[in-house]
Amino acid sequence: MNKILVIFVFLSCFSFSQNKEILKNKVFGERLIENNFLEFTDADKIDSLRIEVVDSFNIYNDYNHRIAAIDAEELAELNFDFFIPELNKILSKRKYHLEVKIQDDFESSFEIIINNEKIKLYTKNELEDYSFWDTAPRNFFKKVNKLLVDNGIKEQFYLLYSGNDLNTMLLTELQAKIISEYYNFKKPEIPYLP
């Protein structure tokens, strides 16, 4: 008899926990959608992405035109061909384009050019103490975000994770806030400004 009671209590708790997760996904997913999260999704993908966002809070689908894999090492080592095409695919939906060039004197200046504006990607000290993996993506995306603002785009690139797992998400401030609230107790899952 005790075994049956234990099983019943376990199943009740599991069912309650599962229902709570489903409700959380639905509430936060619908809030994201109401705040134009799927605004740039291709028409043929919108229904399936809506279901993913509402049912499982899957916000990481490339078809939403908001997320791109960056890899901090690739960025810091100037392998822009690794991620710029994907960023430009996302930005083309906003009628914007990034052009990135490496300065001829990069090895001494540590500068690149983004849309005709120079930025220092990192310093010599950051290169020597290996913090350039963190600094380069932050400086890069700070500059890109400034260019977006200057061009009237109301979204910013938020970073997600770090190192080889670095990703970026193009979000409005409100969309970022909703995602942050959803992941309230999972700080590594929260997109952050550079």
Side-chain angles (χ1 to χ4, degrees):
M1 186 71 167
N2 284 342
K3 287 182 182 181
I4 293 173
L5 182 60
V6 169
I7 292 171
F8 177 75
V9 169
F10 174 76
L11 290 175
S12 295
C13 291
F14 179 75
S15 179
F16 175 76
S17 176
Q18 193 175 28
N19 287 337
K20 187 176 170 185
E21 188 69 22
I22 290 169
L23 181 60
K24 179 182 176 184
N25 292 343
K26 183 174 175 54
V27 168
F28 282 92
E30 287 178 354
R31 279 181 63 200
L32 263 184
I33 290 169
E34 288 167 9
N35 286 284
N36 301 318
F37 185 76
L38 298 177
E39 176 180 10
F40 298 102
T41 302
D42 297 331
D44 64 330
K45 302 286 185 197
I46 197 146
D47 291 335
S48 61
L49 263 64
R50 180 183 302 275
I51 290 167
E52 284 183 23
V53 171
V54 172
D55 288 354
S56 61
F57 204 73
N58 179 6
I59 58 174
Y60 309 106
N61 192 310
D62 293 341
Y63 291 117
N64 66 29
H65 299 287
R66 293 198 175 275
I67 190 164
I70 303 301
D71 187 334
E73 180 179 11
E74 297 291 340
L75 190 153
E77 294 179 356
L78 312 178
N79 295 324
F80 298 115
D81 289 342
F82 178 80
F83 63 90
I84 291 295
E86 189 62 29
L87 290 184
N88 277 327
K89 183 178 169 188
I90 292 167
L91 290 169
S92 71
K93 295 283 190 173
R94 283 91 173 157
K95 298 182 179 16
Y96 194 73
H97 182 81
L98 288 178
E99 188 174 317
V100 180
K101 296 178 185 171
I102 302 165
Q103 285 282 95
D104 291 335
D105 66 344
F106 182 83
E107 290 185 13
S108 60
S109 72
F110 306 107
E111 291 180 336
I112 62 170
I113 301 170
I114 303 175
N115 289 16
N116 297 318
E117 293 194 25
K118 285 184 185 180
I119 70 154
K120 185 178 283 287
L121 209 51
Y122 45 82
T123 66
K124 184 175 189 229
N125 287 343
E126 290 164 338
L127 179 63
E128 290 171 354
D129 72 9
Y130 294 98
S131 63
F132 71 106
W133 269 31
D134 181 58
T135 306
R138 289 179 186 271
N139 289 339
F140 181 89
F141 282 102
K142 278 181 192 173
K143 179 53 130 183
V144 171
N145 283 345
K146 182 183 180 321
L147 292 169
L148 294 177
V149 168
D150 291 349
N151 283 276
I153 297 174
K154 298 193 184 319
E155 296 162 300
Q156 299 284 287
F157 279 107
Y158 287 74
L159 302 179
L160 186 61
Y161 313 121
S162 61
N164 295 114
D165 295 326
L166 183 68
N167 280 260
T168 190
M169 294 188 83
L170 189 57
L171 303 166
T172 65
E173 186 176 345
L174 184 53
Q175 291 164 353
K177 183 176 185 246
I178 292 166
I179 294 168
S180 177
E181 289 172 6
Y182 178 85
Y183 287 117
N184 188 28
F185 297 107
K186 295 181 182 176
K187 188 170 175 146
E189 299 296 324
I190 299 173
Y192 55 94
L193 282 170

